[in-house]
């Protein structure tokens, strides 16, 4: 109709509920990460410290990839990132537990590190591959159903899992090799709660 419209007032309502939820999720993720790092360092000692440094690299790399694509970090995407962070910690625990078993039977620390990474790789690979398959299924159904929260979760989880595999196997291994090659390598208890217990001389030199 040819009637002029005059704006009397206008109100803007911000997405405060969503912003508060995102802030709470970020705070929970930071607190959880700090507790995990403290546990790793307290239990696995220098190996845990190396894992903590690796996780810092992991977080920086994932956030850089999110910025590069770019990926919008929604609540679902943040959930996928936190889950992948847990898988990155799990990979280090698998490696360190294998190291602990080798140290327990009397292997030298450099040999225990080598065996730990080699034998833990199959478990890390299988677990991460199964997670990537699930993420691919979620992405397919989320895309076909126009569900952005599901696709966002799948994308962030996929990126996190791939980066966690790289950091656990490449960065963590290189850092362990560098540290073990120093004088600290003569002190297995500095890297693991296990020490030499009843190992044979031949076993220690293997």
């Amino acid at each position: 109709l040819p009637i002029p419209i005059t704006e009397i007032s206008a109100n803007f309502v911000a997405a405060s509920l969503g912003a508060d939820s995102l802030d709470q999720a970020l705070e929970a993720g930071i607190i959880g990460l700090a507790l995990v790092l403290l546990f790793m360092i307290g239990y696995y000692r220098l190996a845990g410290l190396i894992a903590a440094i690796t996780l810092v690299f992991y977080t920086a790399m994932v956030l850089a990839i999110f910025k590069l694509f770019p990926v919008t970090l929604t609540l679902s995407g943040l959930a996928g990132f936190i889950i992948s962070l847990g898988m990155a910690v799990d990979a280090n625990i698998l490696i360190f537990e294998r190291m602990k078993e080798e140290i327990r039977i009397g292997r030298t620390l450099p040999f225990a590190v080598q065996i730990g990474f080699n034998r833990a790789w199959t478990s890390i690979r299988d677990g991460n591959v199964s997670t990537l398959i699930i993420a691919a299924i979620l992405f397919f159904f989320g895309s076909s159903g126009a569900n952005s929260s599901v696709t966002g979760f799948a994308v962030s989880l996929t990126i996190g899992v791939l980066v966690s595999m790289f950091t656990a196997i490449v960065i963590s291994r290189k850092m362990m090799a560098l540290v073990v090659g120093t004088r600290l390598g003569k002190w297995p208890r500095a890297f693991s709660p296990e020490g030499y217990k009843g190992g044979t001389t031949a076993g220690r030199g293997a």
Side-chain angles (χ1 to χ4, degrees), residues 34-92:
L35 292 175
V36 168
L37 295 182
L38 288 175
F39 167 77
M40 294 292 289
I41 296 172
Y43 187 76
Y44 293 107
R45 303 170 187 180
L46 279 178
L49 179 60
I50 292 174
I53 297 173
T54 303
L55 288 176
V56 173
F57 276 106
Y58 162 81
T59 304
M61 291 176 64
V62 171
L63 293 179
I65 293 174
F66 284 171
K67 187 70 174 178
L68 182 64
F69 273 107
V71 175
T72 302
L73 197 60
T74 60
L75 284 177
S76 57
L78 183 60
F81 169 67
I82 293 176
I83 291 175
S84 64
L85 180 62
M87 296 189 66
V89 175
D90 181 65
N92 285 281

Side-chain angles (χ1 to χ4, degrees), residues 169-182:
I169 299 301
V170 177
I171 297 180
S172 182
R173 187 168 190 167
K174 294 296 183 182
M175 292 182 64
M176 283 290 294
L178 289 174
V179 176
V180 169
T182 65

